[in-house]
Amino acid sequence: MIRVVLVDDQALFRAGVRMLLASQPDLDVVGEAGDGRQAIELVRSTKPDVVLMDIRMPVMDGLTATAEILAQPDPPRIVMLTTFDLDEAAARAIRQGASGFLLKDADPEFLLAAIRTVHSGSSVIAASATRELFEHFAEAPKPVPPQFSALTDREREIFALAARGLSNSEIAAREYLSEATVKTHISRILTKLSLRDRVQLVVFAFEHGLA
């Protein structure tokens, strides 16, 4: 079972998402919160796998709550919920370590797939959308850290394609590799750069002028 916490100040929205998740045999909503402060306590007490976190809420917003939750030991994956397609707050949340963002009016099937994808550790949610987001809100690039030099030439090629938001299958087709080989390369890249997932890879690329 994938344990999910819902955080949103709109009770009607939470009820709709809860009903959707309750219809799935592998998803279990273990708690709901109406603001960020409640969310922090709820995550501590329920130990969920995935948190769906609204960005704008009273008392404590989703950005502040996300930062505090991700600072805890063994934190859950966090997916930000936003009303706006290109939202600077979503960019900030992803920079903090959130695994992606979803529009609140996303198709139900996409929301379910997103939860499962994040839980699996792949975290490829909207990698292309994340890239588009950072193209709008990118700041002046930082110096490239030394660990980037540890990547092989092949890994740098794969890094560049992943930073553009290409999926494993798209990279495999382009580079004439198997998907398993691409997955292995991505895993090594993430390990060498101390990144959690592909969304963080996109953030790393933009922050250091490598995208």
Side-chain angles (χ1 to χ4, degrees):
M1 292 290 288
I2 302 174
R3 296 164 57 82
V4 182
V5 158
L6 307 177
V7 186
D8 194 288
D9 62 328
Q10 297 179 2
L12 190 60
F13 178 80
R14 295 201 311 269
V17 175
R18 176 186 276 275
M19 287 179 61
L20 173 65
L21 270 56
S23 70
Q24 304 299 304
D26 61 333
L27 302 179
D28 181 23
V29 177
V30 297
E32 298 179 23
D35 63 65
R37 187 171 297 163
Q38 292 177 1
I40 293 170
E41 295 305 318
L42 185 60
V43 167
R44 285 186 181 132
S45 62
T46 61
K47 303 293 184 186
D49 301 304
V50 177
V51 177
L52 299 179
M53 177 79 74
D54 190 19
I55 289 180
R56 290 170 177 80
M57 294 178 291
V59 184
M60 179 185 288
D61 63 39
L63 288 175
T64 305
T66 293
E68 290 203 26
I69 291 171
L70 291 175
Q72 297 176 13
D74 193 25
R77 299 279 177 162
I78 299 181
V79 178
M80 309 306 295
L81 301 172
T82 177
T83 309
F84 307 101
D85 193 3
L86 291 174
D87 190 336
E88 187 172 7
R92 287 172 56 199
I94 293 170
R95 189 177 282 114
Q96 288 175 349
S99 293
F101 73 96
L102 291 172
L103 295 179
K104 293 178 102 173
D105 62 356
D107 290 339
E109 290 303 317
F110 187 74
L111 173 61
L112 295 173
I115 293 171
R116 294 179 178 117
T117 299
V118 164
H119 179 255
S120 73
S122 299
S123 298
V124 295
I125 294 179
S128 57
T130 302
R131 178 183 171 83
E132 185 179 356
L133 188 72
F134 274 83
E135 284 176 345
H136 281 74
F137 301 115
E139 301 168 354
K142 303 174 184 177
V144 178
Q147 60 262 39
F148 188 73
S149 62
L151 300 185
T152 65
D153 290 342
R154 188 52 148 171
E155 287 169 349
R156 292 190 190 200
E157 292 174 3
I158 302 295
F159 172 93
L161 295 173
R164 289 170 50 188
L166 273 65
S167 66
N168 284 356
S169 59
E170 289 170 332
I171 294 173
R174 186 184 179 111
E175 296 296 306
Y176 303 101
L177 299 170
S178 70
E179 285 192 47
T181 299
V182 173
K183 188 173 181 179
T184 299
H185 279 306
I186 293 290
S187 179
R188 287 175 180 164
I189 291 167
L190 296 178
T191 299
K192 288 182 179 181
L193 299 180
S194 300
L195 302 174
R196 288 200 332 170
D197 52 51
R198 293 178 60 138
V199 171
Q200 293 299 304
L201 185 153
V202 174
V203 175
F204 180 95
F206 268 92
E207 287 192 329
H208 299 98
L210 299 168

